[in-house]
Amino acid sequence: MTLKLAAALAGAALATSTSGTAAPAAPAATAVPALPSRAQVMASLERVADWQLTHLDDLSYMPAARPSTKRARDWQQATFWVALTSVADRSKSVRYKDAILSKGREEGWRLGDRLYHADDHIIGAAWIWAARHGAGAQALAPMRASFDQILAAPKTNDLKFIAPTGGDPECTTRWCWCDALFMAPPTLWALSKDTKDKRYAAFADREYRATTDYLFDKSEALYFRDSRFFDQRGAHNEKLFWSRGNGWVFSGLARMIPEMSAKDPRRPYYVKLFRDMAAKLVKLQRGNGYWPPSLLAAPNRSQDESSGTGFYVHGLAWGIKAGLLDRKTYLPAVTKGWAALERAVQPNGMLGWVQQVSDRPDVVKAEDAQFYGTGAYLLAGAAVYDLTR
């Protein structure tokens, strides 16, 4: 997820993140829509999932796509495959399970090519799901070999983010950017649970806390994307907290906590973190249901953006269902957020209004789509589906 953005463009990016054309407004910004039926949610999930499955190789709708976007083990597409497991768990159709198992066999159940980079670890969560649904232990073997190499020689560099002239920043051999907390820790916790090897969870817990100690702003209950943003400010002198960046963290917690034993003494730390973020995030939702690309930017100056919104709807809906969040307090945010996401779906089933690959708030257009945006939508829809029971 690291980008080599020119410093000269930073100011322009921050300015445009708080202006521009918004997505079609909700019928009434103050109205709270009703929770849809299970059948309605499933129909929406399958429609968007099916569109993405038919556009795995044809990326003509994504003009800014990188060559890596076509790789299933790259974080962009891997987010979709991980989220598709949540549809496979709920749909009556076996086509989603078959697609995941087929992709896993095609990829040899491998992680991404960069051993230490968290972005290349997220696909492992899809392979763990596959192992639980018919693929067996062979789906875990390659990732275990990779993680065992990491545990044998863990990196100890500091977390200061220095943009390189080429390649990845040196600090990305550890989790020095908040997106990493979605990519690697849930995979490690799930692997630890299934293999009963405590080392993976212990490593994930240690590194997660180190990242949180470094990047989490306790006064705001939000994460800086990385150390470069500690002193940066938005167009109106607000602290710069990126929506999708915090969405990665919040949704990642909703994926990770279920992999922990209810009696695990480490679990309360993550539950508190999740609740603290939820209490802050619910206050930052715009009247039309979206969260702005820059979380503390003035709502009436902000654009609509679907990837961050999808991750927040996922986390909030999961938290209600899990009994960690008060339904009366948080359900209105979920229903408004889901209605906003539904408005972002194009007639053909493509999810639009997805901010493209970046590391900070940026401009968004109705036709902007990406694998990870679809993934956020599917995670959100699956959690909303569970709430309708």
Side-chain angles (χ1 to χ4, degrees):
M1 223 92 55
T2 56
L3 283 181
K4 297 172 281 295
L5 297 178
L9 297 178
L14 299 184
T16 54
S17 70
T18 56
S19 61
T21 304
T30 58
V32 178
L35 199 67
S37 70
R38 293 180 72 195
Q40 289 173 317
V41 177
M42 182 51 64
S44 296
L45 282 171
E46 292 184 342
R47 177 170 165 248
V48 173
D50 288 344
W51 182 88
Q52 192 66 80
L53 283 171
T54 60
H55 291 79
L56 295 176
D57 299 313
D58 173 16
L59 301 184
S60 58
Y61 64 94
M62 202 188 302
R66 301 171 168 187
S68 60
T69 308
K70 284 191 175 183
R71 302 172 193 159
R73 293 179 290 124
D74 178 83
W75 67 270
Q76 297 165 81
Q77 193 176 142
T79 301
F80 164 70
W81 288 108
V82 169
L84 190 64
T85 66
S86 66
V87 182
D89 280 335
R90 293 161 178 81
S91 174
K92 294 179 180 179
S93 173
V94 299
R95 64 185 182 274
Y96 306 113
K97 175 183 175 180
D98 290 346
I100 297 164
L101 293 177
S102 175
K103 182 57 66 175
R105 296 186 189 104
E106 178 185 324
E107 297 293 338
W109 308 111
R110 294 172 296 155
L111 298 178
D113 296 333
R114 295 170 295 180
L115 179 63
Y116 286 93
H117 205 295
D119 287 357
D120 284 4
H121 300 162
I122 180 177
I123 193 61
W127 306 157
I128 291 170
W129 182 93
R132 294 172 178 175
H133 292 81
Q138 65 173 334
L140 304 180
M143 83 175 76
R144 292 196 73 177
S146 293
F147 284 132
D148 285 350
Q149 287 187 62
I150 294 173
L151 294 181
K155 297 296 185 180
T156 58
N157 51 274
D158 66 39
L159 301 178
K160 185 176 182 180
F161 196 104
I162 301 174
T165 55
D168 295 319
E170 181 180 353
C171 72
T172 55
T173 53
R174 296 182 68 196
W175 303 339
C176 66
W177 70 115
C178 71
D179 319 26
L181 300 183
F182 180 92
M183 308 298 169
T187 301
L188 284 157
W189 276 95
L191 184 63
S192 193
K193 177 181 179 180
D194 285 14
T195 63
K196 296 181 171 51
D197 189 328
K198 297 179 180 180
R199 297 177 304 145
Y200 303 126
F203 174 80
D205 179 61
R206 182 176 71 249
E207 289 298 295
Y208 199 111
R209 291 173 189 251
T211 300
T212 298
D213 289 344
Y214 191 59
L215 296 181
F216 188 64
D217 185 324
K218 293 182 179 179
S219 66
E220 299 290 353
L222 297 170
Y223 281 78
F224 291 103
R225 196 273 180 178
D226 59 63
S227 64
R228 293 173 300 164
F229 295 91
F230 288 162
D231 298 319
Q232 291 196 39
R233 295 295 181 265
H236 303 279
N237 203 39
E238 72 277 8
K239 290 181 181 178
L240 193 63
F241 295 109
W242 183 33
S243 180
R244 187 163 68 239
N246 280 273
W248 288 122
V249 179
F250 192 60
S251 179
L253 285 166
R255 294 177 48 236
M256 188 172 73
I257 293 173
E259 303 296 343
M260 301 176 185
S261 166
K263 297 180 180 180
D264 193 316
R266 296 166 294 191
R267 188 175 184 273
Y269 170 86
Y270 296 100
V271 170
K272 182 181 186 303
L273 180 59
F274 177 79
R275 285 174 167 159
D276 288 347
M277 290 190 73
K280 178 69 174 188
L281 291 166
V282 76
K283 299 174 183 177
L284 302 178
Q285 186 180 31
R286 299 174 61 213
N288 67 355
Y290 290 98
W291 276 263
S294 183
L295 287 174
L296 299 188
N300 61 347
R301 295 176 178 269
S302 298
Q303 289 188 282
D304 299 336
E305 202 281 314
S306 61
S307 65
T309 296
F311 286 132
Y312 296 138
V313 172
H314 167 230
L316 294 173
W318 172 82
I320 295 169
K321 182 66 176 177
L324 300 184
L325 300 178
D326 176 67
R327 186 181 183 97
K328 182 178 180 181
T329 301
Y330 291 96
L331 185 60
V334 170
T335 56
K336 287 170 61 178
W338 179 248
L341 290 170
E342 287 285 72
R343 296 196 305 274
V345 177
Q346 306 291 320
N348 62 1
M350 182 188 82
L351 179 74
W353 294 101
V354 180
Q355 186 190 320
Q356 295 300 285
V357 176
S358 187
D359 57 2
R360 65 194 71 200
D362 210 334
V363 294
V364 193
K365 301 187 294 296
E367 63 271 22
D368 286 345
Q370 241 286 2
F371 284 111
Y372 53 77
T374 303
Y377 177 92
L378 297 182
L379 288 169
V384 170
Y385 178 86
D386 290 345
L387 278 184
T388 64
R389 294 180 178 176

